[in-house]
């Protein structure tokens, strides 16, 4: 039987990819800055709220741990995943609608 929490981890990773793409498009001089700098700059410029930046940074740390082999298996409970994915969705929606 599959554990749905493993899909939650994938949802967080994909939601962070979407946010990073949008932040690179919306933040001046984003260039090749790492995600943590985009999050910090987005918060400083008012593109992100402090709470949004906090959720994104936490997700970024989990992503980095997995990408760099520090975390080999991450199963995240819904109480952690839902705020991260919801925040990512809201950021992407807000920034995309503001550009339209």
């Amino acid at each position: 039987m599959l554990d749905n929490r493993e899909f939650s981890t994938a949802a967080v990773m994909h939601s962070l990819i979407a946010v990073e793409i949008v932040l690179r498009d919306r933040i001046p001089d984003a260039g090749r800055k790492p995600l943590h700098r985009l999050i910090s700059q987005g918060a400083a410029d008012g593109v992100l709220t402090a709470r949004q930046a906090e959720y994104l940074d936490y997700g970024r740390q989990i992503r980095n741990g997995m990408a760099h082999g520090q975390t080999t298996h991450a199963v995240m409970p819904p109480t952690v995943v839902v705020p991260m994915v919801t925040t990512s969705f809201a950021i992407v929606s807000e920034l995309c609608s503001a550009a339209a």
Side-chain angles (χ1 to χ4, degrees):
M1 185 168 163
L2 289 174
D3 185 345
N4 289 334
R5 292 177 295 173
E6 295 196 26
F7 292 114
S8 298
T9 304
V12 168
M13 299 305 141
H14 285 281
S15 70
L16 287 170
I17 291 168
V19 169
E20 184 171 2
I21 290 168
V22 172
L23 287 177
R24 287 195 186 285
D25 187 55
R26 299 297 184 272
I27 293 177
D29 302 320
R32 298 181 57 84
K33 290 179 183 174
L35 183 55
H36 78 278
R37 289 194 52 209
L38 293 176
I39 293 168
S40 296
Q41 187 173 346
D45 293 350
V47 174
L48 301 172
T49 67
R51 190 70 166 159
Q52 288 173 328
E54 179 184 335
Y55 281 132
L56 291 175
D57 193 57
Y58 182 63
R60 178 196 62 81
Q61 291 174 43
I62 293 168
R63 180 202 69 172
N64 286 355
M66 293 181 72
H68 298 292
Q70 297 160 339
T71 304
T72 57
H73 184 73
V75 176
M76 297 187 287
T79 55
V80 172
V81 172
V82 170
M84 279 192 242
V85 173
T86 302
T87 298
S88 296
F89 179 80
I91 291 166
V92 170
S93 296
E94 290 168 16
L95 294 179
C96 288
S97 67

